[in-house]
Amino acid sequence: MTSENSTIRREELQLSARDGYPLRATLYHAPQPRARLLIGGATGVPQGFYRRFAEYAAQRGYSTLSLDYRGIGQSKPAQLRGFDMRYLDWATHDLAAALDHLHGDDLPTYMVGHSFGGHAFGLLPGHERVAGFYTFGTGAGWHGWMPPLERARVQLMWNLVGPLIVLRKGYLAWSKLGMGEDLPLGVYQQWKRWCRYPRYFFDDPEQGHLAAQFANVRTPIVAANTLDDLWAPPSSRDAFMAAYSTAPYQARTIDSQAEGLGAIGHMGYFRSSATPLWDEALGWFEQLQTNRRAA
């Protein structure tokens, strides 16, 4: 199925994850493609949230692919109760299938992440095929990195509200809290566990192998976080992104008020008011491409 939006052809796709799970994705075809771009979205955020950014990137020459992870948006089963999955399946199976579909040898492939997308890149099979990775709002998730009021709210959610909802529903009915899509039980359980640690899953004794996996990444990376991102302030970003220890890495701290962007928070990176940040990311990819040609 295809549709037209302005000059951008939008193609609705059904992909098969690496373990066979059916996924829904959208490919935004650039009229004059210069590169390919994969979007790694945030936890509980359906792909439609990234539509404006994807269309904008396609207009700039990036054929852009977004997807709904299993259990989210158009990739969720009829009933979340009893749906069995692990949080990291989104990276190792779902994003992996999207990268397999998108990548080609004729054009470079880049990736933009949001929150969990920055976690996913280090877990992504074939990440070496990605020529540059730019992520927004990625952090370690630990409440101790958050401002005091947000810290209290998050602890209330993890320790009281969330468990009560899960006990009743069998999954985290996050939509009841106005915080995004409902989350499968496996996502809730692992997310809650890892948010107990200052360095997220790197501090989990059961995930000791992940540090070496992230250290193998050599792709150039930029991680951009705003000062008003209560869930992933720069200190939280720094705690997590340190795991990409051998990648060429830049931290970008955004003072959204001083830069005339207004409030950004954790979700505003992909709202149309943040277009200057989109230009910055896409411009960075273009510079990488120029440097690669000159080498």
Side-chain angles (χ1 to χ4, degrees), residues 187-260:
V187 173
Y188 161 77
Q189 289 174 330
Q190 290 187 298
W191 195 16
K192 178 182 178 181
R193 174 183 174 88
W194 295 334
C195 283
R196 293 163 41 197
Y197 300 114
R199 295 185 64 246
Y200 201 55
F201 48 50
F202 298 113
D203 288 341
D204 183 350
E206 296 180 5
Q207 304 297 326
H209 61 288
L210 293 182
Q213 198 168 325
F214 276 68
N216 284 331
V217 174
R218 301 290 191 275
T219 301
I221 298 173
V222 174
N225 295 59
T226 62
L227 294 174
D228 70 343
D229 186 336
L230 302 182
W231 276 38
S235 56
S236 180
R237 171 200 61 204
D238 296 342
F240 186 88
M241 297 302 293
Y244 291 103
S245 57
T246 59
Y249 170 69
Q250 303 172 52
R252 164 78 162 102
T253 298
I254 303 161
D255 186 338
S256 58
Q257 297 295 337
E259 295 181 33

Side-chain angles (χ1 to χ4, degrees), residues 284-295:
W284 182 71
F285 293 142
E286 290 160 15
Q287 187 60 53
L288 287 178
Q289 198 167 354
T290 298
N291 294 344
R292 191 174 180 179
R293 287 171 178 163

Side-chain angles (χ1 to χ4, degrees), residues 150-171:
E150 192 65 18
R151 184 184 310 164
R153 290 181 58 199
V154 166
Q155 288 182 297
L156 180 65
M157 180 193 68
W158 285 137
N159 298 321
L160 179 61
V161 179
L164 289 174
I165 293 174
V166 170
L167 183 65
R168 180 169 180 267
K169 292 281 192 178
Y171 57 90

Side-chain angles (χ1 to χ4, degrees), residues 42 114-115 136-139 226 228-232 264-269:
H114 179 207
S115 195
F136 294 97
T138 293
T226 62
D228 70 343
D229 186 336
L230 302 182
W231 276 38
I264 295 290
H266 192 60
M267 300 301 293
Y269 301 101

Side-chain angles (χ1 to χ4, degrees), residues 8-290:
I8 304 304
R9 183 166 65 93
R10 191 169 73 245
E11 181 181 3
E12 306 295 334
L13 302 171
Q14 180 156 315
L15 306 180
S16 180
R18 285 198 168 190
D19 63 348
Y21 187 90
L23 303 167
R24 297 301 298 271
T26 305
L27 181 59
Y28 299 80
H29 291 270
Q32 296 180 314
R34 63 191 301 167
R36 307 171 196 272
L37 182 62
L38 175 63
I39 298 175
T43 299
V45 180
Q47 62 170 320
F49 181 75
Y50 303 101
R51 177 182 59 81
R52 290 185 180 85
F53 169 76
E55 290 175 343
Y56 188 84
Q59 289 168 351
R60 288 277 299 266
Y62 295 84
S63 290
T64 301
L65 183 67
S66 63
L67 79 155
D68 283 323
Y69 303 127
R70 68 187 63 200
I72 300 297
Q74 297 178 65
S75 297
K76 65 186 174 186
Q79 173 59 256
L80 277 183
R81 179 184 284 273
F83 179 58
D84 184 28
M85 64 159 290
R86 297 175 306 139
Y87 194 0
L88 302 188
D89 289 345
W90 289 350
T92 57
H93 296 321
D94 301 356
L95 268 174
L99 179 59
D100 290 343
H101 181 87
L102 181 66
H103 181 71
D105 293 332
D106 56 330
L107 295 171
T109 300
Y110 300 104
M111 181 170 159
V112 163
H114 179 207
S115 195
F116 170 79
H119 303 163
F121 188 71
L123 305 162
L124 181 61
H127 58 71
E128 65 277 359
R129 292 177 289 175
V130 178
F133 176 52
Y134 202 110
T135 188
F136 294 97
T138 293
W142 181 52
H143 59 83
W145 300 121
M146 301 175 184
L149 181 58
E150 192 65 18
R151 184 184 310 164
R153 290 181 58 199
V154 166
Q155 288 182 297
L156 180 65
M157 180 193 68
W158 285 137
N159 298 321
L160 179 61
V161 179
L164 289 174
I165 293 174
V166 170
L167 183 65
R168 180 169 180 267
K169 292 281 192 178
Y171 57 90
L172 182 59
W174 226 18
S175 61
K176 302 297 184 185
L177 305 178
M179 298 179 72
E181 290 254 328
D182 295 339
L183 298 179
L185 180 62
V187 173
Y188 161 77
Q189 289 174 330
Q190 290 187 298
W191 195 16
K192 178 182 178 181
R193 174 183 174 88
W194 295 334
C195 283
R196 293 163 41 197
Y197 300 114
R199 295 185 64 246
Y200 201 55
F201 48 50
F202 298 113
D203 288 341
D204 183 350
E206 296 180 5
Q207 304 297 326
H209 61 288
L210 293 182
Q213 198 168 325
F214 276 68
N216 284 331
V217 174
R218 301 290 191 275
T219 301
I221 298 173
V222 174
N225 295 59
T226 62
L227 294 174
D228 70 343
D229 186 336
L230 302 182
W231 276 38
S235 56
S236 180
R237 171 200 61 204
D238 296 342
F240 186 88
M241 297 302 293
Y244 291 103
S245 57
T246 59
Y249 170 69
Q250 303 172 52
R252 164 78 162 102
T253 298
I254 303 161
D255 186 338
S256 58
Q257 297 295 337
E259 295 181 33
L261 299 171
I264 295 290
H266 192 60
M267 300 301 293
Y269 301 101
F270 291 91
R271 296 192 176 106
S272 55
S273 57
T275 301
L277 299 180
W278 304 353
D279 286 330
E280 192 172 320
L282 298 175
W284 182 71
F285 293 142
E286 290 160 15
Q287 187 60 53
L288 287 178
Q289 198 167 354
T290 298

